[in-house]
Amino acid sequence: MHTITAPTAADPTRSREAQGDFLLQPPDPAQRVPCRIDPVDLRRLDLLALLTAAGIAPSAGDRAAIERLSELPGSVHVALHRWLEQAYGFCR
């Protein structure tokens, strides 16, 4: 006959470890893979997020326009964001 006992207050994680559930160590920043995202890609993602937040779903044919807008300088995107935020009344 097997008996099961409740975990004691001294070791509350024992039952989780017995079930295969345990906490992971935080990642080591020195082991991160260096990754740089192109500013054009960042502007494209930011524009898509802004349109989504404004409730504007880009159509399939809008991809080319979004790509072209993403190639414009950051100052253009600041103005575009400001216009959309004012027109749709939401804050980032």
Side-chain angles (χ1 to χ4, degrees):
M1 177 175 177
H2 297 286
T3 58
I4 299 174
T5 59
T8 63
D11 191 8
T13 60
R14 181 156 172 76
S15 66
R16 287 188 298 209
E17 289 174 358
Q19 297 172 3
D21 187 16
F22 54 92
L23 299 176
L24 296 175
Q25 294 294 324
D28 180 11
Q31 293 181 347
R32 289 186 181 168
V33 177
C35 177
R36 294 193 184 264
I37 299 176
D38 190 301
V40 171
D41 291 332
L42 286 175
R43 288 192 291 266
R44 180 179 44 81
L45 293 172
D46 197 35
L47 180 57
L48 287 169
L50 182 66
L51 290 171
T52 301
I56 303 168
S59 301
D62 293 343
R63 182 176 177 143
I66 291 171
E67 292 294 327
R68 293 296 306 262
L69 285 170
S70 300
E71 294 170 359
L72 297 173
S75 60
V76 174
H77 284 268
V78 170
L80 183 60
H81 287 235
R82 188 177 63 249
W83 298 336
L84 286 170
E85 289 170 358
Q86 288 173 357
Y88 290 95
F90 67 93
C91 298
R92 288 178 51 100

